[in-house]
Amino acid sequence: MGVLYDKLVGLDEISSRESVITVKLCGKTDEAEIYVENCRKVLSCDNEFITLGVCGADIKISGTPLMLENFGVGGVKITGKIASVDFSDNNSKGSVNK
Amino acid sequence: MKSEKRSDLFFGTVEFSGLGGFQENLATALLESGIPIRKLRFSEAEIHGEVSPFNYYKTASLARKNGVRIRAGKRKGLYFTLSKYRARSGLYVGLLVFILLISILQTTVLDIKFDGEAVPAEINPILEECGIKIGTSISDINFSAAEQRLMLEVPGCAWADVSCEGFRLRVEVHKGIEVPEIEGTNPRNIVASRSAVIISQTVRKGGSVVTVGSGVNAGDLLVSGVVHDGGDNIMFIHSDAEIIGEFTETEEFFVPYRETVQLAEGKQKRFNYLIFGDDEYPLFFGKAFAENSLYSEETRLILNGNMKIKTAVYTEYVEKEITRSPETCVSELKKQIEMYEENFYKDYEIVTSNERYYPEEDGIRVAVDFTLRGNIAKPVDIEMS
């Protein structure tokens, strides 16, 4: 459509290549909240495991009982007693900085 | 973004559960579509969650696409509570009557509340002169004019505010704190402020050096602040006295038959401001100003008293030549004399006033001999070296 449109689309793509993960511990209880931005896909989920696909990595969260909420497009919040968070590379564009 | 999305859920939520199909794909599709979801969990091959009632049909459509058999569960929230009563026409009629009643009642003053140091008996006549009483239409009230009138007419008024809260007019008047007289201790004499005949004297401190009936010139010593104690000692004291003297003064007044005067009867320039809270927003471009004009203000309430419109009015002065008859000149002179007495002799008692009229070619002149009585005591500090 034009140079400006292409640049804007490019900017959007650059921002979606980064994913910020925030872990928030909720005081004395074992409950924790994990915020994941730019989540592209829910790969698998059940009561104990949720695997999310972000750009460049898959995030596997284990815990019990895990509950999922969203905020905005691509923003996911997971609550529950979090046991572990694992990262593994996937084939999509991007890299993992742990 | 978070609060923006959650505002959908404020109206209510629908719990849903889905069985079979590609549940992870459904979760991904919901994320991609930006539908706010709450409490999404997976257990025993079922997907559970909560969505807004406005998004349920979109969720169901996404579930069908992903082969998930979805079922709506518990519904809660404002949306569903209101839905229960949507068929009751009486509620709509009641609401309409309520709004109408409130709107009609807010157009007239039904109560006047006095705040601050306002005394209703003192304030009410002033408000009535401004056309404000119970039953007055709120849109007809000029608030700034009423405030200015209160400032002028309430004795000692430091701040006045007239505002409307619904149908209630709120009048707030605060009076200033009177400055207490501070008694000095510095030694001083009391001298005559003008030439007069002493009528009476009240000496609180100091030694009087004049007698009742005697005449004094301006600057003569009346009460001395230097007192002998009967021995060899001299005391310097802060003398204090009230000396009433009688004196005469002659003043002349003149009113011409023809005169060019400036009257504020020319073109008017009006500038409107929107007042919201303490802020003032001009509803015009440029600067509100007009040369050689009289400035006045009008304030009116709009939108049921939630906002005010202030109008700054600049009325241009125009020169007018007026011609007076001898009778008009005399009545104008009498007015001038009255105003002079009010302005300059309010602290004195006017014993007699003798008017002598002198008709001249271009007008009438009057000479008035005032015989006055009043305090002629003037304190003067004693300089110590």
Side-chain angles (χ1 to χ4, degrees):
Chain A
M1 275 182 77
V3 182
L4 184 65
Y5 178 80
D6 293 340
K7 279 186 179 174
L8 285 171
V9 170
L11 266 176
D12 189 40
E13 277 175 8
I14 289 166
S15 68
S16 66
R17 263 182 235 155
E18 281 188 355
S19 182
V20 178
I21 299 157
T22 313
V23 182
K24 200 172 156 188
L25 301 170
C26 304
K28 288 176 184 175
T29 59
D30 297 336
E31 291 275 309
E33 288 175 354
I34 296 181
Y35 293 90
V36 182
E37 289 176 26
N38 287 330
C39 171
R40 291 188 167 180
K41 213 170 183 182
V42 180
L43 298 170
S44 70
C45 50
D46 55 40
N47 226 2
E48 284 84 30
F49 294 100
I50 290 179
T51 312
L52 303 173
V54 296
C55 193
D58 292 341
I59 304 162
K60 190 175 182 183
I61 299 153
S62 66
T64 175
L66 294 179
M67 211 175 276
L68 193 140
E69 286 183 27
N70 73 335
F71 58 95
V73 179
V76 175
K77 177 184 147 188
I78 294 158
T79 48
K81 289 179 185 176
I82 309 290
S84 66
V85 182
D86 294 327
F87 298 92
S88 57
D89 284 341
N90 63 16
N91 293 329
S92 62
K93 287 177 186 175
S95 60
V96 182
N97 294 316
K98 292 177 191 172
Chain B
M1 189 182 272
K2 194 175 174 182
S3 60
E4 185 190 315
K5 287 287 169 192
R6 289 288 169 239
S7 64
D8 274 11
L9 295 166
F10 168 76
F11 292 104
T13 52
V14 184
E15 282 181 15
F16 68 88
S17 59
L19 191 67
F22 303 100
Q23 294 176 3
E24 289 85 0
N25 290 354
L26 172 62
T28 307
L30 287 171
L31 287 180
E32 280 173 354
S33 60
I35 293 173
I37 326 157
R38 198 189 274 175
K39 294 177 186 171
L40 190 74
R41 61 192 190 280
F42 301 87
S43 62
E44 295 165 5
E46 273 194 5
I47 180 171
H48 300 270
E50 285 179 8
V51 287
S52 149
F54 306 111
N55 290 321
Y56 180 75
Y57 290 106
K58 203 174 173 185
T59 309
S61 147
L62 289 172
R64 265 197 304 278
K65 279 181 191 167
N66 291 289
V68 180
R69 278 175 290 148
I70 198 167
R71 199 172 58 186
K74 207 185 265 179
R75 299 160 177 87
K76 52 191 176 187
L78 188 67
Y79 178 84
F80 296 105
T81 311
L82 291 177
S83 298
K84 265 194 243 174
Y85 302 108
R86 68 183 169 191
R88 294 195 180 180
S89 55
L91 280 176
Y92 300 111
V93 175
L95 186 71
L96 200 70
V97 169
F98 175 73
I99 291 167
L100 271 175
L101 209 65
I102 292 289
S103 305
I104 292 165
L105 286 175
Q106 284 190 345
T107 57
T108 49
V109 177
L110 297 178
D111 185 30
I112 300 176
K113 189 186 170 196
F114 298 95
D115 276 344
E117 290 118 58
V119 182
E122 190 182 19
I123 308 288
N124 267 329
I126 303 168
L127 292 178
E128 278 180 24
E129 279 175 31
C130 299
I132 302 172
K133 54 187 175 184
I134 288 173
T136 308
S137 170
I138 288 170
S139 60
D140 292 342
I141 298 173
N142 186 349
F143 290 91
S144 48
E147 284 164 2
Q148 283 165 13
R149 195 78 179 258
L150 285 170
M151 288 287 284
L152 282 172
E153 294 195 14
V154 175
C157 179
W159 183 73
D161 178 57
V162 180
S163 56
C164 231
E165 291 164 355
F167 60 76
R168 184 173 290 120
L169 191 82
R170 191 162 156 270
V171 181
E172 202 172 348
V173 173
H174 289 282
K175 293 183 179 179
I177 300 163
E178 282 181 24
V179 182
E181 271 187 37
I182 299 163
E183 189 77 18
T185 52
N186 53 321
R188 66 178 191 181
N189 291 323
I190 288 173
V191 298
S193 62
R194 59 178 72 224
S195 302
V197 175
I198 308 293
I199 300 296
S200 67
Q201 57 176 337
T202 312
V203 181
R204 297 181 197 95
K205 270 186 191 175
S208 171
V209 294
V210 287
T211 51
V212 173
S214 61
V216 289
N217 284 319
D220 282 359
L221 183 67
L222 300 177
V223 179
S224 175
V226 183
V227 180
H228 292 269
D229 67 345
D232 296 334
N233 300 320
I234 295 172
M235 288 191 298
F236 293 95
I237 57 168
H238 180 84
S239 51
D240 181 23
E242 190 182 49
I243 314 289
I244 305 296
E246 190 174 289
F247 51 94
T248 56
E249 269 190 5
T250 304
E251 290 297 332
E252 277 194 356
F253 303 92
F254 178 75
V255 171
Y257 292 127
R258 285 188 164 203
E259 195 179 7
T260 307
V261 290
Q262 286 209 327
L263 296 172
E265 290 179 350
K267 283 180 190 171
Q268 279 193 342
K269 278 188 179 175
R270 289 172 166 266
F271 299 94
N272 290 325
Y273 296 84
L274 181 73
I275 299 175
F276 187 66
D278 291 334
D279 300 323
E280 217 175 77
Y281 304 98
L283 302 174
F284 54 87
F285 296 107
K287 200 178 171 189
F289 180 70
E291 270 188 13
N292 193 31
S293 302
L294 176 77
Y295 175 79
S296 60
E297 266 182 28
E298 291 169 10
T299 316
R300 308 235 172 272
L301 293 180
I302 54 164
L303 297 174
N304 286 332
N306 294 324
M307 284 187 184
K308 281 183 188 172
I309 291 277
K310 186 181 95 176
T311 310
V313 186
Y314 290 86
T315 314
E316 199 185 354
Y317 282 110
V318 286
E319 284 193 348
K320 267 198 172 178
E321 194 164 294
I322 53 167
T323 311
R324 297 187 183 98
S325 65
E327 291 78 26
T328 323
C329 284
V330 171
S331 69
E332 190 68 31
L333 281 167
K334 283 196 184 294
K335 265 188 213 167
Q336 281 190 16
I337 294 165
E338 217 172 275
M339 277 175 68
Y340 189 86
E341 286 176 1
E342 263 183 40
N343 288 328
F344 296 100
Y345 296 153
K346 66 178 174 190
D347 294 334
Y348 298 107
E349 178 197 345
I350 301 168
V351 182
T352 56
S353 66
N354 182 28
E355 294 165 11
R356 286 169 283 128
Y357 288 89
Y358 302 104
E360 291 179 5
E361 266 183 32
D362 52 346
I364 297 177
R365 188 175 299 279
V366 65
V368 189
D369 300 320
F370 292 103
T371 305
L372 305 158
R373 269 185 195 177
N375 189 8
I376 56 163
K378 182 185 163 190
V380 177
D381 287 346
I382 299 171
E383 284 182 19
M384 311 287 280
S385 56

